[in-house]
Amino acid sequence: YNSFRCYRLFSAQILLSVYSFVPLEGVNTVIQRLNKYNIDTGLHYDRYLREVIDFLEKDQHFREKLHNTDMEDIKQGKLAKELDFVSHHVRTKLDELKRQEVNRLRTLIKAKQDLEGGNDIAVDHQALLKQFEYLNHMNPHTFEVEDLDRLIRSATKDLENYDKERHEEFKRYEMMKEHDRQEHLKTLDDDERKKEEEHYEEMKKKHADHPKVNHPGSQNQLKEVWEEADGLDPEDFDPKTFFNLHDTNGDGFFDEQELEALFTKELEKIYDPTNEEDDMVEMEEERLRMREHVMNEVDSNKDRLVSLDEFLVATKKKEFLEPDSWETLEQNQAYTDDEMREFEEHLAQQEQDLNQKAFDLQKQRDELERQQEQLNAQKMELQQVRNSTLLMEKGLLL
Ligand SMILES: [Ca+2]
Ligand SMILES: [Ca+2]
């Protein structure tokens, strides 16, 4: 219980940087996603974040402060300041974690530079480190109050943007898929191209042909889970029992992962990994859409968790009992024509840059070869001079 409350209070601090009016009981726990259930936040500094929290939790003083800090103090950022009082051992460990993290970032920067071929340019690491806002790069050796404050703020902000970025990534994935398809078509003759296009349309039709998908979070959808996954009698369907059954970690809330798990049955109606026409990347995008939709409808205090109360309120709404039909992913194109055009331009630009680079390299090679030839010629000239000198010395010339 203590540990759970710690996480909730800690995250109170986290969320307050964004919503300064959220009541304590409704406060989300970003950190809860990282706790003993070991869920990956997907942030690139996930490991660092997790390790910092783990070590702070080990410090009795800090843990107690988490437990006893009231709302006013959390609001004023006093929690981060409590870092000054944690034990020397924990501080030393945090310093070490930060040094490792800074080193990891430096390696990343170096690898990126190598990839871009900018070896000869002097790298201003300090300036590049600035882009990583979740730690204080000006002070790379010790973990200070500011580091904790920055970590809390960044994790909150980045997690909020995480879904948005996943949608963008998916869009790029779909555009790349279409690009590759068009490029492949260009390599075919008329007959082959026609056959390929027909096959494509056929697969599209086959993919769109699936049993009706229930509106996510509706009574019908949950009842199917109740009946097929839980093996219970639909006549006995009871929202509270359902909630407790699927609150897998038993913390009294549906988190994002627990919600997403509820949609597996629906997704299996549309996607089968053994079918050519079903793309599993698209399935994960559909899962994300479903989870976002239910969160939007049900999570009324916007803490990214569904409490039992919120759930029960939702089960009394009209949308739960008589929902609209759900529009699946394939019913709409993931990108607009404009976005596709922009994407193609971007690819063309990239290709042009690569060609330019190859051209420059070839030029450099030619230049080196020319210099080598010059050198060889000079060498030969020198040799000739030497030979003549030798002959002269022996009095054979003249
Ligand atoms: Ca839960
Ligand atoms: Ca909620």
Side-chain angles (χ1 to χ4, degrees):
Y1 171 79
N2 273 352
S3 163
F4 172 63
R5 188 166 153 83
C6 282
Y7 280 125
R8 290 188 73 75
L9 277 165
F10 192 84
S11 58
Q13 159 88 350
I14 292 176
L15 265 198
L16 278 168
S17 52
V18 188
Y19 311 110
S20 53
F21 51 86
V22 177
L24 186 59
E25 269 317 294
V27 157
N28 172 28
T29 105
V30 168
I31 301 313
Q32 201 180 338
R33 296 177 60 172
L34 323 164
N35 67 7
K36 55 190 182 233
Y37 309 106
N38 222 21
I39 291 158
D40 194 332
T41 54
L43 301 176
H44 78 88
Y45 51 93
D46 177 79
R47 199 174 129 191
Y48 173 67
L49 178 60
R50 191 192 302 271
E51 285 173 340
V52 168
I53 304 297
D54 278 355
F55 269 95
L56 284 172
E57 269 263 283
K58 283 197 184 92
D59 183 86
Q60 204 191 344
H61 172 82
F62 199 83
R63 215 172 46 234
E64 274 168 18
K65 276 288 161 192
L66 278 169
H67 190 74
N68 298 320
T69 306
D70 67 26
M71 278 313 276
E72 261 327 289
D73 288 349
I74 293 174
K75 269 186 200 167
Q76 287 167 16
K78 283 194 185 157
L79 198 54
K81 289 201 190 81
E82 288 302 325
L83 187 66
D84 286 337
F85 303 103
V86 307
S87 75
H88 180 69
H89 163 72
V90 170
R91 278 306 280 268
T92 313
K93 191 64 203 172
L94 291 175
D95 291 349
E96 195 185 313
L97 287 176
K98 182 173 169 189
R99 280 197 297 271
Q100 283 170 4
E101 185 67 4
V102 171
N103 277 337
R104 187 183 72 89
L105 293 178
R106 290 201 168 119
T107 315
L108 272 179
I109 291 171
K110 174 87 172 57
K112 190 160 177 276
Q113 296 267 323
D114 286 351
L115 258 179
E116 287 165 355
N119 292 349
D120 42 346
I121 307 159
V123 177
D124 185 353
H125 274 275
Q126 210 59 359
L128 286 168
L129 277 171
K130 222 191 249 178
Q131 64 184 302
F132 302 107
E133 291 176 345
Y134 64 95
L135 45 74
N136 178 10
H137 64 101
M138 294 301 285
N139 179 18
H141 302 297
T142 56
F143 188 100
E144 306 291 341
V145 171
E146 194 188 337
D147 289 296
L148 184 55
D149 202 42
R150 279 171 176 245
L151 187 59
I152 290 169
R153 283 171 206 278
S154 297
T156 311
K157 198 179 80 194
D158 292 347
L159 280 176
E160 294 206 325
N161 290 328
Y162 186 54
D163 288 348
K164 216 162 80 192
E165 269 162 34
R166 276 176 67 191
H167 287 306
E168 286 302 312
E169 213 172 278
F170 174 73
K171 205 185 264 186
R172 284 196 296 274
Y173 168 81
E174 287 291 308
M175 291 192 285
M176 199 62 199
K177 211 163 101 175
E178 177 62 10
H179 170 82
D180 288 345
R181 192 177 76 84
Q182 295 294 345
E183 288 302 301
H184 175 62
L185 287 176
K186 282 181 198 163
T187 66
L188 305 177
D189 65 36
D190 287 351
D191 266 3
E192 289 171 326
R193 192 178 312 124
K194 207 173 146 231
K195 242 187 244 160
E196 188 75 28
E197 293 270 38
E198 276 169 13
H199 180 68
Y200 174 75
E201 290 304 324
E202 192 190 320
M203 288 296 110
K204 237 167 109 171
K205 242 183 242 156
K206 225 179 131 199
H207 172 64
D209 180 27
H210 53 72
K212 185 178 167 287
V213 173
N214 285 309
H215 194 101
S218 68
Q219 174 166 251
N220 287 340
Q221 193 247 309
L222 301 189
K223 262 191 175 171
E224 246 178 65
V225 176
W226 173 272
E227 193 179 351
E228 287 175 30
D230 305 334
L232 296 169
D233 188 339
E235 295 295 309
D236 300 336
F237 180 76
D238 170 53
K240 196 172 168 186
T241 313
F242 182 90
F243 187 90
N244 290 329
L245 266 177
H246 292 276
D247 170 18
T248 324
N249 63 10
D251 65 354
F253 298 92
F254 277 160
D255 60 32
E256 290 165 349
Q257 282 73 25
E258 287 164 339
L259 270 186
E260 287 183 6
L262 297 178
F263 309 131
T264 302
K265 282 267 145 211
E266 294 304 320
L267 294 167
E268 280 171 0
K269 292 179 186 170
I270 325 175
Y271 296 92
D272 177 346
T274 61
N275 284 349
E276 183 195 335
E277 70 273 15
D278 298 336
D279 181 340
M280 294 298 120
V281 175
E282 291 173 2
M283 179 174 92
E284 288 314 312
E285 173 72 6
E286 184 77 276
R287 195 193 293 277
L288 175 62
R289 289 177 72 227
M290 289 177 164
R291 187 253 291 160
E292 280 184 322
H293 173 76
V294 174
M295 267 301 182
N296 273 338
E297 301 247 298
V298 181
D299 173 26
S300 44
N301 69 352
K302 301 290 165 210
D303 67 352
R304 289 171 157 244
L305 294 170
V306 175
S307 66
L308 175 61
D309 281 348
E310 286 171 331
F311 182 71
L312 292 179
V313 167
T315 60
K316 301 202 169 64
K317 286 185 187 163
K318 184 181 166 287
E319 298 91 82
F320 183 73
L321 304 166
E322 305 160 37
D324 305 333
S325 61
W326 175 253
E327 210 167 67
T328 46
L329 192 68
E330 79 271 3
Q331 284 172 270
N332 290 299
Q333 193 171 270
Y335 46 85
T336 65
D337 291 348
D338 278 349
E339 282 169 330
M340 187 69 201
R341 211 171 304 128
E342 214 172 285
F343 183 73
E344 290 287 1
E345 275 166 20
H346 178 70
L347 284 183
Q349 183 64 48
Q350 265 183 342
E351 204 185 323
Q352 201 186 329
D353 289 351
L354 274 177
N355 285 341
Q356 182 64 41
K357 223 171 244 175
F359 176 77
D360 289 347
L361 277 174
Q362 184 62 43
K363 229 166 74 180
Q364 274 176 21
R365 221 173 81 183
D366 292 349
E367 174 64 16
L368 276 174
E369 265 172 25
R370 201 186 56 78
Q371 283 175 1
Q372 187 65 46
E373 273 166 27
Q374 217 172 23
L375 214 67
N376 286 345
Q378 278 172 0
K379 245 194 211 157
M380 245 161 66
E381 229 169 277
L382 203 70
Q383 195 62 42
Q384 271 166 6
V385 173
R386 247 191 226 147
N387 288 347
S388 338
T389 319
L390 260 171
L391 289 173
M392 269 200 304
E393 277 170 2
K394 288 185 179 172
L396 293 173
L397 219 74
L398 295 172

